[in-house]
Amino acid sequence: MAEDTLIKFDNLRRVLSEYGQAVRNGYQDALIRSNSIASGELLNSLEFKVQQGERSFSVVLTLMDYWKYVEEGTSPHWPPSSAILKWLEVKPVIPRPDKNGKLPTPKQLAFLISRKIAREGTKGRHDLANTLEALNAEYMEKIAAALAEDVSDAMTLIAYRPANI
């Protein structure tokens, strides 16, 4: 940003940073509440930053690529057995005995879970969408107020500038 920019947008940056932090913290809380934590990678990967373009500001949330499957679920498909086995290592899954009272091995359990996903897919949690919905109304008002304050500050500077500047 050029030093001679009329409007500095300091208030807007502050509010957008608060918003990013609120989204990150709210999404982390929602993941915990919905029991969507296995390894903790998704939970711990959440970061945000405020970016300024030539004519825009953005709050960018970065997280693990598989967030979309947790958020939206999946259609029926056969997941890779290695992914299910890895998930079983970190997620405490208590297998149920079969009709003969025998517990399945980890490979058998992975197959049973894979088969269910192949039949039904997975259900999405919509934790991020719910977090955004809960925060957007409050922060849209704060963003509007911050913009108004930034414009007011700029107008005050214009009013007090000497004519030869």
Side-chain angles (χ1 to χ4, degrees), residues 23-162:
V23 169
R24 182 192 63 211
N25 294 344
Y27 186 39
Q28 286 175 326
D29 291 345
L31 287 169
I32 292 167
R33 279 193 313 274
S34 70
N35 195 26
S36 297
I37 309 300
S39 67
E41 286 181 348
L42 178 59
L43 183 76
N44 295 323
S45 73
L46 296 169
E47 294 181 11
F48 76 92
K49 63 182 168 183
V50 176
Q51 293 181 334
Q52 181 176 354
E54 193 172 311
R55 295 182 179 184
S56 64
F57 285 86
S58 304
V59 177
V60 178
L61 186 66
T62 57
L63 49 156
M64 299 299 290
D65 288 341
Y66 66 86
W67 74 271
K68 59 188 161 252
Y69 305 119
V70 175
E71 182 74 5
E72 297 296 328
T74 64
S75 58
H77 68 287
W78 276 97
S81 59
S82 60
I84 300 297
L85 284 168
K86 181 180 175 189
W87 180 79
L88 284 170
E89 289 174 9
V90 295
K91 185 77 172 177
V93 175
I94 301 171
R96 292 187 221 142
D98 65 13
K99 61 185 174 186
N100 299 324
K102 187 176 176 186
L103 288 174
T105 66
K107 278 188 173 186
Q108 291 169 329
L109 187 57
F111 171 79
L112 294 171
I113 292 169
S114 294
R115 185 175 64 188
K116 181 170 182 180
I117 293 171
R119 288 181 183 159
E120 301 174 20
T122 60
K123 183 178 176 187
R125 305 290 187 155
H126 307 289
D127 292 326
L128 182 56
N130 293 336
T131 298
L132 291 171
E133 185 178 327
L135 293 171
N136 279 350
E138 171 190 354
Y139 275 92
M140 289 306 120
E141 289 179 17
K142 289 181 178 185
I143 289 168
L147 279 169
E149 193 173 343
D150 286 333
V151 170
S152 177
D153 291 350
M155 297 306 290
T156 301
L157 286 174
I158 291 171
Y160 293 110
R161 278 190 178 175

